[in-house]
């Protein structure tokens, strides 16, 4: 199956501008008294991107770069400290409780670990039926059952009734992740945030799940924010890729261009270490030194400069602008 | 087995007394336990003490006399008496003591001195006391005489609350020299004791957490005498028949009673108003088998009781004779039936108004005996259709609840003094909310009580006292179900000279303060 | 967080806890039945004026809040009031009893920690074997036995049937010993049964905790690493397993102090040991509220301080704790 | 004579329900200076095989059969004492998840010193110097020897583990998923370091992983495990370019290759078998798309596809 | 097609859950022994009074007192000639009642406080945990003694006092488990589908801390029985009810130790040990069965 760029240019489902999530660094009561200025974890530090209807946008980056936090902030599972999130033209941040409840049906979430994201003491049926019950979507039990069966079938689980009374631990890994997807599908969402949905699964099962997600996009027009640290995976499923580094997007563009013609030195380094099934000359790998720094002490200037092989003195002082370098291709570096 | 390593015996002759009380302190105004009183008696003297017939006998007062009206008393004091610190004892000390207590309302000793109008130290060894009215119990002023030169310095308020009196100076045969709280108190003989130095060198009172341990210690010879021995242990001791151990089932002026709440003020009393009906109280008495209670709850020690003054004081004791309401459940049922209390379906009688004869009976958590007695009484009363719920509370709480009238019935007891006044006073109206816990009130009785206090003629007074007891027996605020002995045991292999005062009484912890045994004990030559 | 800050915050936590205890302590004893003044005087023959005067003197006529304030103020001057029973400052009464309890509790705790840890290590090391099963059963049985009951049985067997140990007390009352050795011998003789009982009671729990703690550690990956490194069995235990397994014991021992006090009350009662436990018991039966209140506070503060100490030690010995 | 030769290694775990056949008839060969990759999905028995080599198995494991020889010396019957000497000195292991593989309450330096003192009988001082040297070799500031594991990041800890593994110049290093759970960048750094050390020290290395690419990039030869058995072995290039076993083929097909086309492969249907009760015959047959008669009846034998490239599949026997 | 998952299948589910639980539990020897012990004592509590003539536990003034075991009085008599075997049988009811009732109170308080503190966090957590800490550090027995003295000795009060003072440990354990459950993605998911806090606590957190609650309750029951015994022994028990603790209290007070009346001291004590052991065994077994991966780490 070939995957082409998708997504209706006009229909912007979700627009994020200058999103910021800062956490107060964990601190005892006393030390917060003593230090006037509480330290901040700048987990997400000014993001701009949008997701079109029926599009898969991939958020990639190293551990701790703020991918999950971004996803949660969009769904208001953590409160953003700044910026805007527009969903279908409405300001998510300003939603009141009722609207938020409705929004929770329109936007759903799938997690990384299918073992952890399912309540071990809930049967398959009640896992899937729960959103319907909580939001009182269905009139009667028969309707609930219908919807549950529909969702499970959509998620690629045949013979759903047989599974109704099973517990997650009685399912295989793949089935479990499908169950999690069914739990999201049951409310017929327009948008799903998928946080590393396959990274815990074996290679042989992965493809099936990914395919299911893509199919759902095709058939139901669901948009995804797909979070992963695996660039080859990102390339495989997404329409566009955004690369994050320390709470900021450093590059964003269509999947092919980002992988094939990366602009940002960070992206280039990442792409160079994407595993392939053959021996690679060590010199071809642009290994970066060290690991992503702690978002409490973000370096001044370009936040990537301490690890950047091409850093200049300007990078140390001046923060590069995030701009459209080529049509549809954004980047934040002084030298692109 | 191998014997416990006992401390190396030095040359001293030490009398070891076992007790289960905890010694609360050494300040005479604050002691309240038997042990505390005993220690005080050894450390201090009173003006008089009691002889074998329980008549006043000289102590610090050699002799005394009274004027015609019976209101001016003259005491001639012993000469050459020294306080433990060597200061001479004078009439000023006595005057000071009485005034100090009277003017500052200090504790237990207030009663005997409250009626003293004027106290005069005529000379060093003569004292006169003027009372506001003739007092029949005089000269029995059982108040320890304190050294003025020490107590004058002490703020009376402090003396009545906090003063520890760590180094008590008295005139007694012994003086406290070491007091280890919760463990023991050691008294050393007073070589200068005015009645002659004691025959032993020291007395140690050892406090046991548990009476059985004390008995065991007596058996092992770790102590020489044990007081307040539980009945069962005494029985066991008797059976073991150790030739060196004497067990005493000693006469004692104490009794156990069942008290009723007879407070007529309906608004205030929280007791069951049915108990105001004398018929019920009488029926209850008929339904109680005193013999069995004594046999079971008191291990067979004691005699069935009747009136307020126990037969121990046989001169004052009133015997109801044929009027005694003996155990007779049939009669009890008959009385209840006659008073209109008919048997309900559940076996519980109900009043004509339909109220069940169902009462609370309070036993004390400190006294297993009272709990057992309560259980027995409950069963006995069930026989005649009276339902009893036994509750058990501690004495402190009971003390608080009684003056509030928050009870139906309770079990407790009294230890009566030599003179009948104080136990008789307990049932007077003036003592409501205080000692008079049953709220019994009878103007005739009150009047008699005043009269007997003023009646100096013994025979005449006896009549009055008997009449008072008869009235109480008639009105049944109390059912006195047993007269209780004092159980103790002592060893005869180390000391001789144990004195029982009176002859059927105990050897130590003697009635109203005789300390003859301590004065007369001599070590046995081995 | 640095050490000083950590200490400060732990300390402030302890202070807050102590304050709450103070509040509980104050109000619990205010609602106890009985008029304190009546208990104090014990003679009903006392005029209303005198009663009122005493109330005033003890501040009982004031509002509860004022009384609480006065109570706090007095505490700061270490004034815990005066015992109804002994007419002595409560602090003196308590301090008088501390050495006896310390001797008993200290000896037993030390012994039981050493024995419990050793037993726990043995059981964990021999897990699954007959020794383990037997030891486990023994520990559980020890854990399940009522403290006082063990004491009673000990007394009956050793002091009554065999008569080789004294029945009661901490020494022969009023005895004057000729030599130091005679005294020591007598003290040890008296100490033996209570300490044995106490140790038995405590050892089971320590052994259980040590065993499970060690078993957990033995299953950790770093133990596999150490084995892969060729570390010998004893070294493995000594250098890798024990330091990790002992960590939770520190906290446990501190937390257990409250339980130990409970044990002390029972053991001191059974063996007539003149310590804090017996003091508490007799204060309870005599309703000596100032003493009870003082004891309560004293013991609680000791436990809180011990916990604080454990926290600090824990922080010191466990490099991971970052507060 | 190979550096390491494993024949017919069979290890079961005993459970109340029966035996988990975690590792059956495993044959491996490792030459001096060679890197062998052992790949397979989770629960395919990789760790079991590795731990069986040095007898570091859990208590409920039973080594049923197998001969293990190092440079011709049979160690399968070695006693605990001898094994202790062999461990680390001859075969060192780097475990998965270094956070838990380092003792949290001991300084990292001390943990290396310990190994040196046991095996090299080095005096304390010398061992410390050597530790600092090792730290430099794995590109960590030698001043950090006195720190505790929690003060290191994941990648650093893995480096410490590596330093510890090579401390005694072992002949063989086994890396059990040494880079799983690390970021791609750090993973690449660590792999490069391992590669460098292996060359410098001429060690034989067994790299256990479920990530095909790791093997592709670093190993000379590869062994593919499925459900407790080795289904295919051979030189890496040969196996990857020309997989002989249907499982290997499916696995490689599922691998997203950015150099190829954007294409979502079919996943292998079904689930790996339960090793408590594995299917008869070829263990893969229930999920295989090309089964023939004997697949469900007979265990396939290894067939040499080309030189040094073996696979166990009935289909191959047919050819 | 099943007509409704909501009705008849719930029963099927329950059966299935019980069966699978029993399948695992059965393997645990310790748990089985514990279960046997408890079954025995439960039967004794209910049927004992029919099998043993409990009317012999009366003071009749005829039966020999302090008599060692003889036929008819298999465990001998006490100082009042009461049959000790009958006493032990009667005492079973009270002791079990105290254990179960006090543990229920303690569990309820502990669970509510633990879950609320853990789930809401922040100030609520701080306050509740400070409060819990206080109960954790206050030496337990003195507190219980003081409260028992305050309330007066009745069975209800004893149950209440034990229940109200023994929840702190449970609360702490439940809280830490809540904290960890709260961070699981399925709770995040529940939030993401719009569930309210109460819904999450009841549907997601409670079921996942339940195994801990079970095991803990059973262990608290053991402690409660020990506590009742201790309280009664120290004279704070309900003298109108016969429990094993009260029997021991009377035995001690009435000089059983000195009189070598081992038949009076041993049976109630051994019963206490057995029941406590039974509860503890079950508690440990449940802990192992229900929380196999649970790691108990202090702090
Ligand atoms: N609730 C929080 N409080 C404080 N800091 C937080 C919180 N949640 C996340 N962070 C910090 O924010 C940063 C970004 O975290 P986030 O989980 O978004 O990263 P991520 O890109 O998803 O990483 P990973 O790939 O490991 O999942 C991290 O440094 C993390 O420690
Ligand atoms: N101690 C044990 N007891 C019983 N079964 C075990 C034990 N350890 C492992 N197993 C089982 O043995 C099989 C092989 O496990 P092993 O750990 O060797 O797999 P692996 O290939 O290393 O997997 P992973 O990639 O997840 O590390 C699995 O089915 C596992 O469940
Ligand atoms: Mg994440
Ligand atoms: Mg593994």
């Amino acid at each position: 199956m070939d995957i082409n760029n998708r997504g209706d240019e006009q229909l912007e489902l979700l627009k994020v501008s200058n999103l910021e999530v800062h956490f107060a660094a964990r601190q005892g009561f006393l030390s917060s008294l003593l230090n006037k200025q509480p330290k901040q974890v700048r987990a997400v530090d000014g993001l701009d991107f949008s997701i079109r209807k029926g599009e898969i946008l991939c958020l990639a980056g190293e551990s701790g770069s703020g991918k999950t936090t971004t996803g949660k902030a969009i769904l208001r599972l953590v409160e953003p400290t700044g910026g805007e999130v527009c969903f279908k033209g409405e300001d998510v941040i300003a939603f009141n409780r009722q609207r938020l409840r409705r929004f929770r049906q329109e936007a759903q979430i799938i997690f990384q670990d299918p073992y952890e994201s399912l309540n071990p003491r809930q049967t398959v049926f009640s896992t899937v039926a729960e959103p319907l019950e909580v939001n009182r979507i269905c009139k009667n039990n028969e309707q609930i059952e219908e919807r549950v069966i529909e969702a499970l079938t959509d998620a690629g689980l045949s013979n759903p009734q047989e599974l109704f009374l099973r517990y997650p631990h009685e399912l295989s890994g793949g089935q479990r992740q499908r169950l999690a997807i069914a739990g999201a599908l049951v409310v017929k969402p327009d948008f799903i945030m998928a946080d590393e949905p396959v990274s815990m699964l074996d290679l042989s099962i992965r493809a099936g799940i990914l395919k299911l997600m893509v199919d759902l996009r095709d058939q139901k027009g669901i948009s995804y924010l797909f979070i992963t640290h695996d660039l080859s995976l990102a390339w495989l499923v997404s329409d566009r890729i955004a690369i994050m580094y320390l709470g900021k997007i450093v590059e964003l563009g269509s999947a092919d261009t980002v992988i094939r013609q990366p602009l940002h030195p960070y992206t280039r380094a990442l792409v160079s270490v994407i595993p392939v099934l053959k021996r690679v000359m060590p010199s071809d790998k642009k290994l970066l030194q060290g690991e992503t720094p702690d978002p409490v002490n973000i370096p001044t200037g370009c936040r990537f400069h301490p690890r950047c092989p091409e850093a200049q003195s300007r990078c140390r002082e001046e923060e590069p602008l995030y701009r459209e370098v080529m049509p549809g291709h954004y980047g934040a570096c002084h030298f692109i | 087995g191998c014997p416990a390593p006992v401390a190396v015996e030095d040359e001293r002759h030490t009398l070891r007394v076992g007790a289960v009380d905890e010694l609360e302190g050494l300040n005479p105004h604050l002691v309240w336990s038997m042990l505390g009183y005993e220690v005080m008696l050894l450390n201090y003297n009173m003006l008089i003490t009691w002889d074998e017939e329980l008549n006043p006998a000289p102590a610090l007062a050699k002799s005394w006399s009274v004027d015609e009206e019976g209101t001016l008393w003259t005491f001639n004091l012993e000469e050459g008496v020294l306080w433990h610190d060597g200061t001479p004892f004078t009439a000023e000390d006595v005057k000071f003591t009485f005034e100090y207590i009277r003017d500052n309302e200090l504790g237990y000793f207030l009663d005997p001195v409250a009626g003293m109008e004027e106290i005069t130290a005529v000379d060093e060894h003569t004292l006169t006391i003027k009372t506001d009215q003739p007092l029949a119990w005089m000269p029995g002023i059982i108040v320890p005489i304190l050294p003025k030169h020490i107590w004058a310095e002490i703020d009376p308020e402090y003396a009545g609350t906090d003063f520890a009196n760590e180094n008590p100076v008295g005139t007694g045969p012994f003086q406290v020299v070491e007091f280890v709280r919760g463990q023991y108190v050691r008294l050393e003989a007073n070589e200068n004791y005015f009645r002659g130095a004691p025959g032993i060198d020291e007395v140690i009172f050892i406090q046991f957490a548990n009476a059985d341990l004390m008995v065991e210690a007596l058996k092992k010879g770790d102590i020489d005498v044990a007081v307040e021995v539980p009945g069962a242990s005494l029985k066991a001791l008797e059976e073991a028949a150790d030739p060196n151990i004497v067990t005493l089932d000693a006469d004692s002026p104490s009794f156990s009673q069942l008290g009723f709440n007879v407070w007529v003020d309906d608004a205030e009393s929280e007791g069951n108003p049915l108990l105001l009906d004398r018929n019920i109280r009488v029926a209850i008495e008929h339904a109680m088998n005193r013999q069995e209670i004594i046999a079971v709850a008191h291990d067979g020690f004691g005699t069935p009781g009747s009136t307020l003054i126990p037969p121990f004081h046989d001169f004052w004791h009133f015997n109801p004779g044929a009027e005694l309401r003996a155990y007779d459940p049939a009669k009890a049922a008959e009385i209840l039936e006659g008073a209109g209390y008919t048997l309900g379906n559940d076996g519980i009688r109900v009043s004509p108004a339909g109220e069940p004869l169902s009462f609370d009976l309070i036993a004390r958590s400190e006294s297993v005996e009272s709990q057992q007695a309560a259980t027995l009484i409950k069963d006995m009363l069930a026989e005649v259709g009276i339902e009893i719920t036994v509750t058990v509370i501690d004495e402190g709480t009971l003390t608080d609840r009684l003056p509030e009238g928050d009870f139906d019935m309770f079990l407790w007891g009294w230890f009566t003094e030599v003179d009948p006044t104080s136990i008789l006073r307990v049932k007077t109206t003036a003592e409501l909310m205080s000692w008079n816990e049953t709220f019994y009130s009878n103007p005739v009785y009150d009047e008699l009580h005043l009269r007997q206090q003023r009646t100096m003629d013994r025979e005449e007074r006896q009549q009055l006292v008997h009449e008072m007891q008869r009235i109480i027996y008639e009105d049944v605020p109390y059912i006195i179900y047993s007269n209780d002995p004092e159980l103790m045991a002592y060893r005869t292999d180390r000391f001789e000279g144990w004195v029982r005062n009176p002859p059927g009484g105990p050897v130590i912890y003697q009635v109203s303060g005789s300390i003859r045994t301590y004065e007369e004990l001599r070590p046995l030559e081995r | 967080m640095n050490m000083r800050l950590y200490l400060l915050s732990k300390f402030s936590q302890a202070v807050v806890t102590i304050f709450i205890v103070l509040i509980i302590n104050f109000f619990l004893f205010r609602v106890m039945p009985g008029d304190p003044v009546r208990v104090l005087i014990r003679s009903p023959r006392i005029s209303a004026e005198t009663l009122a005067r005493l109330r005033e003197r003890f501040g009982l006529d004031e509002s509860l809040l004022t009384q609480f304030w006065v109570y706090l103020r007095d505490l700061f001057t270490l004034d815990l009031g005066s015992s109804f029973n002994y007419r002595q400052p409560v602090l003196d009464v308590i301090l008088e009893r501390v050495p006896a309890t310390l001797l008993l509790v200290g000896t037993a705790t030390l012994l039981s920690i050493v024995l419990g840890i050793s037993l726990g290590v043995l059981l964990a090391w021999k897990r699954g074997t007959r020794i383990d099963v037997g030891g486990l059963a023994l520990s559980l049985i020890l854990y399940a036995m009522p403290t006082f009951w063990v004491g009673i049985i000990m007394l009956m067997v050793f002091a009554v049937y065999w008569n080789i140990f004294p029945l009661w007390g901490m020494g022969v009352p009023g005895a004057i010993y000729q030599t130091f050795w005679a005294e020591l011998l007598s003290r040890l003789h008296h100490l033996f049964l209570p300490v044995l009982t106490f140790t038995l009671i405590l050892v089971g729990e320590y052994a259980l905790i040590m065993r499970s703690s060690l078993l957990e550690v033995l299953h950790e990956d770093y133990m596999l690493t150490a084995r892969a490194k060729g570390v010998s069995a004893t070294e493995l235990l000594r250098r890798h397993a024990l330091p990790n397994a002992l960590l939770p014991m520190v906290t446990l021992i501190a937390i257990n102090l409250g339980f130990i006090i409970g044990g002390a009350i029972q053991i001191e009662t059974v063996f007539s040991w003149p310590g804090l436990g017996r003091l508490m018991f007799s204060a309870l039966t005599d309703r000596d509220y100032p003493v009870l209140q003082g004891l309560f506070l004293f013991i609680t503060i000791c436990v809180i301080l011990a916990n604080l100490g454990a926290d600090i030690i824990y922080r010191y010995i466990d490099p991971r704790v970052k507060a | 004579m190979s550096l390491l030769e494993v024949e017919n290694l069979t290890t079961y775990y005993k459970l109340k329900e029966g035996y988990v056949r975690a590792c059956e008839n495993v044959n491996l060969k490792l030459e001096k200076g060679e890197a062998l990759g052992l790949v397979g999905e989770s629960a395919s028995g990789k760790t079991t095989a590795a731990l069986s080599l040095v007898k570091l198995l859990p208590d409920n494991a039973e080594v049923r059969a197998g001969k293990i020889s190092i440079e011709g010396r049979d160690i399968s019957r070695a006693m605990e004492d001898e094994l202790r000497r062999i461990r680390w000195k001859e075969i060192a292991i780097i475990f998965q998840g270094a956070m838990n593989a380092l003792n949290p309450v001991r300084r990292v330096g001390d943990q290396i010193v310990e190994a040196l003192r046991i095996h090299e009988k080095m005096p304390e001082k010398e061992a410390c110097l050597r530790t600092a040297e090792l730290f430099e070799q794995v590109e960590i500031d030698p001043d950090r020897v006195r720190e505790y594991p929690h003060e290191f990041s994941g990648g650093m800890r893995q480096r410490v583990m590596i330093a510890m593994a090579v401390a005694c110049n072992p002949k063989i290093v086994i890396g059990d998923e040494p880079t799983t759970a690390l970021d791609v960048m750090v993973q690449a750094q660590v792999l490069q370091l391992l590669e460098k050390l292996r060359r410098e020290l001429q060690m034989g290395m067994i790299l256990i992983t479920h990530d095909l690419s790791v093997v592709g990039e670093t190993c000379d030869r590869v062994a593919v495990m499925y459900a407790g058995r080795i289904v295919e072995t051979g030189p890496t290039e040969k196996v990857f370019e020309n997989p002989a076993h249907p499982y290997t083929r499916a696995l490689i097909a599922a691998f997203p290759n950015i150099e190829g086309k954007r294409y979502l492969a079919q996943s292998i249907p079904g689930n790996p078998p339960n090793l408590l009760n594995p299917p008869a015959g070829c263990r893969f047959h229930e999920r295989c798309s090309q089964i023939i008669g004997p697949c469900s009846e007979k265990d396939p034998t290894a067939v040499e596809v080309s030189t040094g490239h073996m696979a166990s599949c009935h289909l191959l026997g047919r050819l | 097609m099943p007509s409704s998952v909501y009705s008849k299948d719930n029963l099927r589910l329950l059966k299935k859950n019980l069966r699978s639980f029993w399948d695992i539990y059965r393997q645990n020897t310790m748990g089985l022994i514990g279960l046997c012990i408890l079954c025995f004592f439960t039967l004794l509590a209910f049927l004992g009074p029919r099998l043993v003539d409990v009317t012999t536990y009366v003071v009749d003034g005829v039966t020999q007192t302090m008599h060692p075991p003889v036929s008819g009085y298999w465990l001998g008599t006490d100082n009042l000639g009461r049959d000790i075997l009958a006493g032990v049988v009667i005492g079973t009811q009270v002791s079990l009642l105290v254990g179960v009732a006090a543990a229920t109170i303690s569990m309820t308080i502990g669970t509510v406080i633990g879950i609320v503190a853990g789930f809401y966090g922040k100030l609520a957590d701080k306050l509740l945990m400070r409060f819990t800490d206080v109960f954790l550090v206050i030496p337990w027995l003195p507190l219980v003694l003081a409260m028992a003295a305050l309330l007066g000795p009745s069975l209800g009060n004893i149950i209440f006092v034990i229940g109200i003072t023994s929840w702190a440990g449970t609360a702490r354990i439940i809280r830490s488990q809540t904290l960890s459950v709260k961070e699981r993605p399925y709770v995040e998911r529940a939030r993401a589908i719009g569930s309210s806090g109460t819904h999450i606590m009841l549907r997601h957190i409670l079921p996942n801390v339940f195994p801990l609650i079970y095991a803990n309750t059973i262990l608290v029951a053991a402690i409660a029985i020990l506590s009742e015994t201790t309280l009664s022994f120290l004279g704070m028990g309900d003298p109108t009810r016969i429990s094993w603790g009260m029997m021991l209290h009377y035995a001690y007070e009435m000089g059983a130790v000195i009189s070598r009346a081992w038949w009076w001291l041993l049976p109630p004590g051994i019963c206490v040990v057995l029941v406590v052991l039974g509860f503890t065994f079950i508690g440990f077994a449940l802990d192992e069965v229900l929380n196999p991966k649970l790691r108990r780490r202090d702090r």
Side-chain angles (χ1 to χ4, degrees), chain A residues 20-25:
Chain A
E20 265 181 22
V21 185
H22 294 181
F23 297 106

PDB file of all heavy atoms in Angstrom, chain A residues 20-25:
ATOM      1  N   GLU A  20       2.539  26.845  25.185  1.00  0.00           N
ATOM      2  CA  GLU A  20       3.578  26.753  26.224  1.00  0.00           C
ATOM      3  C   GLU A  20       3.046  25.932  27.389  1.00  0.00           C
ATOM      4  O   GLU A  20       1.923  26.150  27.837  1.00  0.00           O
ATOM      5  CB  GLU A  20       3.880  28.149  26.789  1.00  0.00           C
ATOM      6  CG  GLU A  20       5.033  28.825  26.134  1.00  0.00           C
ATOM      7  CD  GLU A  20       5.282  30.194  26.761  1.00  0.00           C
ATOM      8  OE1 GLU A  20       4.863  30.410  27.914  1.00  0.00           O
ATOM      9  OE2 GLU A  20       5.878  31.026  26.078  1.00  0.00           O
ATOM     10  N   VAL A  21       3.836  24.977  27.874  1.00  0.00           N
ATOM     11  CA  VAL A  21       3.492  24.299  29.123  1.00  0.00           C
ATOM     12  C   VAL A  21       4.718  24.352  30.013  1.00  0.00           C
ATOM     13  O   VAL A  21       5.739  23.749  29.711  1.00  0.00           O
ATOM     14  CB  VAL A  21       3.082  22.839  28.903  1.00  0.00           C
ATOM     15  CG1 VAL A  21       2.623  22.227  30.215  1.00  0.00           C
ATOM     16  CG2 VAL A  21       1.997  22.731  27.866  1.00  0.00           C
ATOM     17  N   HIS A  22       4.605  25.092  31.066  1.00  0.00           N
ATOM     18  CA  HIS A  22       5.700  25.156  32.048  1.00  0.00           C
ATOM     19  C   HIS A  22       5.213  24.534  33.341  1.00  0.00           C
ATOM     20  O   HIS A  22       4.109  24.829  33.788  1.00  0.00           O
ATOM     21  CB  HIS A  22       6.114  26.608  32.309  1.00  0.00           C
ATOM     22  CG  HIS A  22       6.720  27.261  31.098  1.00  0.00           C
ATOM     23  ND1 HIS A  22       7.183  28.540  31.107  1.00  0.00           N
ATOM     24  CD2 HIS A  22       6.928  26.801  29.855  1.00  0.00           C
ATOM     25  CE1 HIS A  22       7.652  28.855  29.907  1.00  0.00           C
ATOM     26  NE2 HIS A  22       7.508  27.808  29.127  1.00  0.00           N
ATOM     27  N   PHE A  23       6.040  23.685  33.874  1.00  0.00           N
ATOM     28  CA  PHE A  23       5.698  23.108  35.180  1.00  0.00           C
ATOM     29  C   PHE A  23       6.563  23.777  36.220  1.00  0.00           C
ATOM     30  O   PHE A  23       7.715  24.091  35.944  1.00  0.00           O
ATOM     31  CB  PHE A  23       5.989  21.611  35.223  1.00  0.00           C
ATOM     32  CG  PHE A  23       5.180  20.807  34.257  1.00  0.00           C
ATOM     33  CD1 PHE A  23       5.761  20.296  33.105  1.00  0.00           C
ATOM     34  CD2 PHE A  23       3.856  20.547  34.504  1.00  0.00           C
ATOM     35  CE1 PHE A  23       5.026  19.527  32.223  1.00  0.00           C
ATOM     36  CE2 PHE A  23       3.111  19.781  33.625  1.00  0.00           C
ATOM     37  CZ  PHE A  23       3.694  19.276  32.486  1.00  0.00           C
ATOM     38  N   ALA A  24       5.980  23.954  37.406  1.00  0.00           N
ATOM     39  CA  ALA A  24       6.843  24.397  38.493  1.00  0.00           C
ATOM     40  C   ALA A  24       7.689  23.189  38.862  1.00  0.00           C
ATOM     41  O   ALA A  24       7.151  22.099  39.064  1.00  0.00           O
ATOM     42  CB  ALA A  24       5.999  24.830  39.675  1.00  0.00           C
ATOM     43  N   ALA A  25       8.987  23.392  38.906  1.00  0.00           N
ATOM     44  CA  ALA A  25       9.845  22.262  39.251  1.00  0.00           C
ATOM     45  C   ALA A  25       9.481  21.804  40.638  1.00  0.00           C
ATOM     46  O   ALA A  25       9.152  22.606  41.510  1.00  0.00           O
ATOM     47  CB  ALA A  25      11.303  22.667  39.185  1.00  0.00           C
TER      48      ALA A  25
END
